[in-house]
Amino acid sequence: MAKAKRKFVCQQCGSVAHRWQGQCDECGEWNSLVEEAAETVFSAKHDLHGGGRAISLIGLDSDVALPPREMTGIAEFDRALGGGLVSGSATLIGGDPGIGKSTLLLQASARMAMRGLSVAYISGEEAADQVRLRARRLGLGNAPVQLASATSVRDILTTLANGPPPALVVIDSIQTMHSDLIEGAPGTVSQVRASAQELIRFAKERGTAVVLVGHVTKDGSIAGPRVLEHMVDTVLSFEGERSHQYRILRAIKNRFGGTDEIGVFSMAQEGLEEVANPSALFLTNRDETVTGATVFPALEGTRPVLVEIQALTVRLASGATPRRAVVGWDSGRLAMILAVLEARCGLSFSTCEVYLNIAGGYRISDPAADLAVAGALISALAERPVATDAVLFGEIALSGEIRPVSHTPLRLREAAKLGFNRALLPAAVADGVKGISVSGYRTLAHFVDHMLGRG
């Protein structure tokens, strides 16, 4: 058999050399030559360009039937999923401990089972009796959900393979699963990846929708290997604070729909309840005029949510270092707004402590909230309240220009629906909405003059 020839390939320019050397002759890069496996007689005879099974290629313009979906019976859950669970899909849902992941999935499983669908709930963290007790507390004790407490993936798949495949399988949680094909304790990177791969393969082959519950790290990201999020079809994040009533189910990845929809829930004694009007959660009593409070129509996907932005300024003695505290918004964005107000509008916050809060524990990342934040700050500093029937939104540039934002009609329609009559917007906005009078401002200085009654 002929001896294989050695070759060294430069990782920068791709040139080939037959012996190793410190510097590439073509590009002059040092230590870039790496030996690659040379072609042998065996590899030449077994070229991958032939001998395989020809696959059928489908044109991009071909008519393909949409994947069938199964409604969970919880409208907010279905909204976040993009219209329901897709048969044969794998969904990963993560969230802080105690946020309500198991409660939501148990409610969805019970509603699907009561419609006559076969549902299996596999718990690796709790005994079946514990899950049954929780179902009774939620008023779902009569739901025909098949419960089991197991951690062996082989045992789970063997059980599910006997008989017709269920419509839904819930694995709570993937970090407790164990595969005997590889070594390692449950929860390790290799075990989580191998267990998820076997469960996803079962979902694809049998047409069962599999929902995996994942633990999260301290920073809120899903624990385990990053490849786990690439393996599944949909990744959902359950967000919220234990001390607050609301919960938000947000899609981070969705191969069968968009990632711009959210589901809003409130935690009650009977479990998670759907919130048809999320704005009611984040708006406080607007009967009394209070300085430093403005209303901003935030946008979560295609759903507008009205939230109240609250600001408070406290004057300090000369020489004291003022404090800036932010809850629910970006502190760097607040510093930018304060700088623009001082440099472009002549307002001084250097001797004031500034506190900014998004009511209800809501978190905003939309730059359209700039004008509402600026209005709350000006109102708190000048002690002049903003009209209770007004909403504010617009992006503020470092030059002081107020720029238009997306989906203005959608935000205005939601405001009109909740009884607001006025809107303070960028001047570039062309049209308003019936029932709301629009006031446009080209620069932040003009907006400050309006707020302070200068003209």
Side-chain angles (χ1 to χ4, degrees):
M1 184 174 179
K3 183 179 179 181
K5 294 183 179 180
R6 304 174 66 190
K7 66 175 182 178
F8 299 84
V9 180
C10 177
Q11 303 302 301
Q12 298 295 327
C13 66
S15 62
V16 179
H18 296 292
R19 62 182 180 84
W20 186 89
Q21 54 192 23
Q23 187 180 28
C24 176
D25 293 334
E26 299 294 332
C27 63
E29 187 71 21
W30 287 91
N31 299 323
S32 62
L33 293 180
V34 177
E35 184 179 3
E36 290 189 359
E39 183 179 8
T40 63
V41 176
F42 178 84
S43 63
K45 290 183 178 180
H46 296 79
D47 190 0
L48 291 179
H49 289 83
R53 178 178 57 87
I55 61 176
S56 59
L57 300 176
I58 302 175
L60 185 62
D61 56 349
S62 302
D63 292 332
V64 180
L66 295 176
R69 293 182 181 269
E70 198 65 56
M71 297 298 179
T72 63
I74 303 177
E76 296 296 310
F77 193 13
D78 294 334
R79 175 194 287 267
L81 288 169
L85 287 168
V86 177
S87 301
S89 66
T91 301
L92 177 65
I93 178 172
D96 293 334
I99 202 68
K101 303 184 297 295
S102 300
T103 300
L104 175 64
L105 293 178
L106 185 58
Q107 290 180 254
S109 301
R111 296 193 182 187
M112 292 180 66
M114 286 188 288
R115 297 206 320 263
L117 299 175
S118 176
V119 178
Y121 190 102
I122 311 298
S123 176
E125 300 178 347
E126 299 177 292
D129 290 340
Q130 290 178 286
V131 180
R132 190 178 294 110
L133 288 175
R134 186 194 303 130
R136 290 178 180 175
R137 291 197 304 268
L138 299 176
L140 304 173
N142 296 327
V145 178
Q146 302 299 314
L147 300 178
S149 179
T151 58
S152 173
V153 176
R154 183 182 295 274
D155 295 344
I156 294 172
L157 295 181
T158 301
T159 304
L160 296 177
N162 294 331
L168 172 65
V169 174
V170 177
I171 304 295
D172 188 6
S173 64
I174 189 60
Q175 274 79 12
T176 62
M177 295 296 111
H178 177 269
S179 173
D180 56 11
L181 296 179
I182 59 175
E183 297 181 356
T188 58
V189 171
S190 57
Q191 281 289 350
V192 170
R193 182 172 56 243
S195 300
Q197 183 176 6
E198 294 300 323
L199 292 167
I200 294 172
R201 181 185 301 173
F202 172 82
K204 302 300 181 183
E205 293 177 352
R206 305 298 296 272
T208 297
V210 174
V211 179
L212 309 176
V213 177
H215 294 170
V216 295
T217 58
K218 291 182 178 179
D219 59 355
S221 59
I222 297 177
R226 192 70 177 179
V227 70
L228 182 61
E229 298 186 28
H230 297 287
M231 294 166 61
V232 299
D233 300 307
T234 305
V235 180
L236 301 177
S237 177
F238 213 23
E239 305 171 357
E241 301 290 340
R242 288 189 181 184
S243 57
H244 291 287
Q245 182 186 9
Y246 83 97
R247 304 285 190 272
I248 291 181
L249 185 64
R250 191 186 307 273
I252 301 175
K253 168 190 174 182
N254 194 347
R255 289 173 178 167
F256 302 107
T259 57
D260 56 354
E261 292 290 355
I262 64 168
V264 183
F265 302 87
S266 63
M267 182 62 75
Q269 187 176 359
E270 296 79 14
L272 290 169
E273 297 180 351
E274 303 175 59
V275 179
N277 182 15
S279 301
L281 286 178
F282 309 115
L283 286 180
T284 58
N285 187 6
R286 306 286 298 171
D287 294 337
E288 299 179 0
T289 56
V290 180
T291 60
T294 57
V295 176
F296 166 62
L299 201 63
E300 293 287 353
T302 59
R303 164 178 284 182
V305 179
L306 268 64
V307 296
E308 185 176 77
I309 297 178
Q310 303 168 347
L312 177 66
T313 59
V314 180
R315 297 193 180 276
L316 298 177
S318 178
T321 302
R323 181 185 180 190
R324 275 82 171 106
V326 186
V327 177
W329 206 49
D330 184 16
S331 58
R333 197 86 185 170
L334 173 63
M336 188 200 79
I337 299 299
L338 291 173
V340 175
L341 285 172
E342 185 156 350
R344 306 295 183 185
C345 307
L347 299 181
S348 177
F349 291 86
S350 59
T351 60
C352 298
E353 288 188 340
V354 177
Y355 301 89
L356 187 71
N357 176 54
I358 309 301
Y362 196 81
R363 295 186 179 276
I364 296 177
S365 58
D366 190 354
D370 289 353
L371 190 62
V373 170
L377 293 172
I378 298 167
S379 173
L381 182 69
E383 297 184 355
R384 296 175 66 97
V386 181
T388 57
D389 61 344
V391 295
L392 300 83
F393 59 91
E395 183 181 359
I396 297 177
L398 291 178
S399 62
E401 177 190 3
I402 302 178
R403 297 178 176 177
V405 295
S406 60
H407 303 291
T408 295
L410 188 62
R411 300 176 195 262
L412 292 178
R413 281 195 295 269
E414 180 69 13
K417 188 190 304 180
L418 295 178
F420 289 85
N421 303 319
R422 301 173 56 191
L424 309 182
L425 309 174
V429 176
D431 300 325
V433 172
K434 182 179 180 180
I436 289 188
S437 61
V438 175
S439 300
Y441 303 93
R442 188 175 58 84
T443 64
L444 188 58
H446 295 160
F447 177 73
V448 171
D449 292 340
H450 166 77
M451 290 283 296
L452 300 182
R454 295 173 180 171

Short mmCIF file of all heavy atoms in Angstrom, two decimals, residues 119-142:
data_model
loop_
_atom_site.label_atom_id
_atom_site.label_comp_id
_atom_site.label_asym_id
_atom_site.label_seq_id
_atom_site.Cartn_x
_atom_site.Cartn_y
_atom_site.Cartn_z
N VAL A 119 -52.03 12.55 27.10
CA VAL A 119 -50.99 13.41 27.64
C VAL A 119 -50.23 12.66 28.72
O VAL A 119 -50.85 12.04 29.60
CB VAL A 119 -51.57 14.72 28.22
CG1 VAL A 119 -50.47 15.58 28.82
CG2 VAL A 119 -52.33 15.49 27.15
N ALA A 120 -48.90 12.71 28.67
CA ALA A 120 -48.04 12.08 29.68
C ALA A 120 -47.20 13.16 30.34
O ALA A 120 -46.55 13.96 29.66
CB ALA A 120 -47.15 11.03 29.04
N TYR A 121 -47.23 13.17 31.67
CA TYR A 121 -46.46 14.15 32.45
C TYR A 121 -45.43 13.36 33.25
O TYR A 121 -45.78 12.61 34.17
CB TYR A 121 -47.39 14.94 33.37
CG TYR A 121 -46.75 16.13 34.04
CD1 TYR A 121 -46.97 17.42 33.57
CD2 TYR A 121 -45.92 15.98 35.14
CE1 TYR A 121 -46.38 18.52 34.17
CE2 TYR A 121 -45.33 17.07 35.75
CZ TYR A 121 -45.56 18.34 35.26
OH TYR A 121 -44.97 19.42 35.86
N ILE A 122 -44.16 13.52 32.89
CA ILE A 122 -43.06 12.80 33.54
C ILE A 122 -42.30 13.78 34.43
O ILE A 122 -41.75 14.77 33.93
CB ILE A 122 -42.10 12.17 32.51
CG1 ILE A 122 -42.88 11.41 31.45
CG2 ILE A 122 -41.09 11.28 33.21
CD1 ILE A 122 -43.67 10.25 31.97
N SER A 123 -42.30 13.53 35.72
CA SER A 123 -41.62 14.40 36.67
C SER A 123 -40.38 13.68 37.21
O SER A 123 -40.47 12.55 37.70
CB SER A 123 -42.55 14.77 37.83
OG SER A 123 -41.86 15.53 38.80
N GLY A 124 -39.25 14.33 37.07
CA GLY A 124 -38.01 13.79 37.62
C GLY A 124 -37.64 14.40 38.94
O GLY A 124 -36.67 13.97 39.57
N GLU A 125 -38.37 15.43 39.37
CA GLU A 125 -38.05 16.12 40.61
C GLU A 125 -39.06 15.85 41.72
O GLU A 125 -38.75 16.01 42.90
CB GLU A 125 -37.98 17.64 40.35
CG GLU A 125 -36.93 18.03 39.32
CD GLU A 125 -36.92 19.51 39.06
OE1 GLU A 125 -37.87 20.19 39.48
OE2 GLU A 125 -35.97 20.00 38.42
N GLU A 126 -40.28 15.49 41.35
CA GLU A 126 -41.33 15.25 42.33
C GLU A 126 -41.93 13.87 42.13
O GLU A 126 -41.90 13.32 41.02
CB GLU A 126 -42.45 16.30 42.21
CG GLU A 126 -42.01 17.72 42.44
CD GLU A 126 -43.14 18.70 42.22
OE1 GLU A 126 -43.56 18.85 41.05
OE2 GLU A 126 -43.61 19.30 43.20
N ALA A 127 -42.45 13.32 43.20
CA ALA A 127 -43.18 12.06 43.09
C ALA A 127 -44.53 12.30 42.43
O ALA A 127 -45.05 13.42 42.40
CB ALA A 127 -43.36 11.44 44.47
N ALA A 128 -45.11 11.24 41.90
CA ALA A 128 -46.40 11.37 41.23
C ALA A 128 -47.47 11.86 42.18
O ALA A 128 -48.38 12.62 41.78
CB ALA A 128 -46.80 10.02 40.61
N ASP A 129 -47.39 11.47 43.45
CA ASP A 129 -48.37 11.94 44.43
C ASP A 129 -48.27 13.44 44.65
O ASP A 129 -49.30 14.11 44.86
CB ASP A 129 -48.18 11.20 45.75
CG ASP A 129 -48.57 9.73 45.64
OD1 ASP A 129 -49.33 9.39 44.71
OD2 ASP A 129 -48.12 8.93 46.48
N GLN A 130 -47.07 13.98 44.61
CA GLN A 130 -46.92 15.42 44.78
C GLN A 130 -47.55 16.17 43.61
O GLN A 130 -48.20 17.20 43.80
CB GLN A 130 -45.42 15.77 44.89
CG GLN A 130 -44.77 15.31 46.18
CD GLN A 130 -43.29 15.65 46.20
OE1 GLN A 130 -42.48 15.04 45.51
NE2 GLN A 130 -42.94 16.64 46.99
N VAL A 131 -47.34 15.66 42.40
CA VAL A 131 -47.96 16.30 41.24
C VAL A 131 -49.47 16.20 41.32
O VAL A 131 -50.20 17.14 40.99
CB VAL A 131 -47.43 15.66 39.95
CG1 VAL A 131 -48.08 16.32 38.72
CG2 VAL A 131 -45.92 15.77 39.85
N ARG A 132 -49.97 15.06 41.80
CA ARG A 132 -51.41 14.88 41.93
C ARG A 132 -52.00 15.83 42.97
O ARG A 132 -53.09 16.39 42.77
CB ARG A 132 -51.70 13.42 42.32
CG ARG A 132 -53.18 13.05 42.25
CD ARG A 132 -53.39 11.59 42.59
NE ARG A 132 -52.79 10.72 41.60
CZ ARG A 132 -51.71 9.97 41.83
NH1 ARG A 132 -51.12 10.00 43.02
NH2 ARG A 132 -51.23 9.19 40.90
N LEU A 133 -51.28 16.06 44.07
CA LEU A 133 -51.77 17.00 45.08
C LEU A 133 -51.81 18.42 44.53
O LEU A 133 -52.74 19.17 44.83
CB LEU A 133 -50.87 16.94 46.33
CG LEU A 133 -51.00 15.69 47.19
CD1 LEU A 133 -49.96 15.71 48.31
CD2 LEU A 133 -52.39 15.59 47.79
N ARG A 134 -50.80 18.79 43.74
CA ARG A 134 -50.82 20.13 43.16
C ARG A 134 -51.99 20.26 42.19
O ARG A 134 -52.63 21.31 42.13
CB ARG A 134 -49.51 20.41 42.43
CG ARG A 134 -49.44 21.86 41.93
CD ARG A 134 -48.34 22.11 40.93
NE ARG A 134 -47.05 21.74 41.46
CZ ARG A 134 -46.19 20.96 40.82
NH1 ARG A 134 -46.50 20.47 39.63
NH2 ARG A 134 -45.02 20.69 41.33
N ALA A 135 -52.26 19.21 41.43
CA ALA A 135 -53.40 19.26 40.50
C ALA A 135 -54.71 19.43 41.25
O ALA A 135 -55.61 20.16 40.79
CB ALA A 135 -53.42 17.98 39.66
N ARG A 136 -54.84 18.80 42.41
CA ARG A 136 -56.07 18.97 43.19
C ARG A 136 -56.20 20.39 43.72
O ARG A 136 -57.30 20.95 43.76
CB ARG A 136 -56.07 17.97 44.34
CG ARG A 136 -56.25 16.52 43.89
CD ARG A 136 -56.20 15.57 45.07
NE ARG A 136 -56.37 14.17 44.62
CZ ARG A 136 -56.28 13.12 45.43
NH1 ARG A 136 -56.01 13.31 46.73
NH2 ARG A 136 -56.43 11.91 44.95
N ARG A 137 -55.08 21.00 44.12
CA ARG A 137 -55.13 22.39 44.58
C ARG A 137 -55.55 23.33 43.46
O ARG A 137 -56.17 24.36 43.71
CB ARG A 137 -53.77 22.83 45.13
CG ARG A 137 -53.38 22.15 46.44
CD ARG A 137 -52.25 22.92 47.10
NE ARG A 137 -51.09 23.08 46.24
CZ ARG A 137 -50.06 22.24 46.21
NH1 ARG A 137 -50.08 21.16 46.99
NH2 ARG A 137 -49.03 22.44 45.42
N LEU A 138 -55.19 22.97 42.24
CA LEU A 138 -55.55 23.80 41.09
C LEU A 138 -56.93 23.46 40.54
O LEU A 138 -57.36 24.04 39.55
CB LEU A 138 -54.50 23.61 39.98
CG LEU A 138 -53.07 24.01 40.31
CD1 LEU A 138 -52.14 23.67 39.15
CD2 LEU A 138 -52.98 25.49 40.64
N GLY A 139 -57.61 22.50 41.16
CA GLY A 139 -58.93 22.10 40.68
C GLY A 139 -58.89 21.23 39.45
O GLY A 139 -59.86 21.19 38.68
N LEU A 140 -57.77 20.52 39.24
CA LEU A 140 -57.60 19.69 38.05
C LEU A 140 -57.44 18.22 38.42
O LEU A 140 -56.86 17.43 37.66
CB LEU A 140 -56.36 20.15 37.26
CG LEU A 140 -56.34 21.62 36.85
CD1 LEU A 140 -54.99 21.98 36.24
CD2 LEU A 140 -57.46 21.91 35.86
N GLY A 141 -57.94 17.83 39.57
CA GLY A 141 -57.75 16.47 40.04
C GLY A 141 -58.43 15.42 39.18
O GLY A 141 -58.02 14.25 39.19
N ASN A 142 -59.45 15.80 38.41
CA ASN A 142 -60.18 14.82 37.60
C ASN A 142 -59.66 14.73 36.17
O ASN A 142 -60.23 13.98 35.36
CB ASN A 142 -61.67 15.20 37.55
CG ASN A 142 -62.31 15.12 38.93
OD1 ASN A 142 -61.93 14.29 39.76
ND2 ASN A 142 -63.27 16.00 39.18
#
